[in-house]
Amino acid sequence: MPAAMIVFLVSCSWAQNSQSLSRVIEILADHDSRFKMEGQKQPLITAKAGEQIKLRITAKKAKNLNRDGSIHGFTLLRAKDRKPVPDWDFLLKPGIQEFTVVAPNEPGEYVVVCTVICSQDHEGMNMKFVVLP
Ligand SMILES: [Cu+2]
């Protein structure tokens, strides 16, 4: 095998490693239209500005679902003006899904909201997200 090819293969596996090293955050999008995180009374995600994190979201169906089969949504908004954060808009199917995302560069308070009218309690389906400098 030519040396250049070996170098290429090695650098590919490095790139993969750095991806899998991102911190995993486990979230439950539950059947009672609430986001939950183990060990937390009020679910809260904390990340450093620009930090790459992996969201591992388990979704359980509430009363209603979208036509496309989505049972909950997961969208990040800036708290002060509820402006959506780009690339942070996901629809959840039943089961476990993973999303690798990059925290906003602007420190401050954000809020995760559900975007599927999943039940009568849908309006209360949100959680805090804090970006640290
Ligand atoms: Cu929901």
Side-chain angles (χ1 to χ4, degrees):
M1 193 184 283
M5 194 157 197
I6 294 169
V7 169
F8 175 73
L9 289 174
V10 168
S11 58
C12 274
S13 69
W14 276 342
Q16 263 178 358
N17 275 343
S18 69
Q19 267 248 322
S20 60
L21 283 177
S22 47
R23 189 159 59 93
V24 176
I25 295 175
E26 307 247 11
I27 300 152
L28 174 63
D30 213 353
H31 57 81
D32 58 358
S33 293
R34 289 295 177 270
F35 290 115
K36 297 173 186 174
M37 289 172 72
E38 205 173 279
Q40 295 190 24
K41 265 202 161 156
Q42 295 288 340
L44 164 70
I45 299 174
T46 308
K48 281 191 183 162
E51 182 189 2
Q52 181 178 283
I53 52 180
K54 189 187 279 184
L55 307 171
R56 183 176 294 147
I57 308 177
T58 302
K60 297 187 178 177
K61 189 183 160 290
K63 195 162 177 231
N64 307 314
L65 65 165
N66 276 2
R67 276 188 189 185
D68 70 353
S70 304
I71 56 170
H72 294 293
F74 186 102
T75 294
L76 188 63
L77 310 175
R78 187 163 67 179
K80 65 178 177 192
D81 54 7
R82 299 189 72 84
K83 187 178 168 227
V85 176
D87 303 322
W88 276 81
D89 183 25
F90 307 108
L91 286 168
L92 307 174
K93 298 273 161 63
I96 301 173
Q97 287 132 102
E98 290 189 342
F99 307 98
T100 298
V101 288
V102 176
N105 286 319
E106 186 189 334
E109 281 204 17
Y110 293 78
V111 58
V112 173
V113 298
C114 176
T115 50
V116 171
I117 312 292
C118 51
S119 76
Q120 284 188 333
D121 296 322
H122 158 75
E123 287 297 323
M125 188 164 182
N126 51 60
M127 68 183 287
K128 257 193 176 189
F129 186 112
V130 172
V131 175
L132 304 170

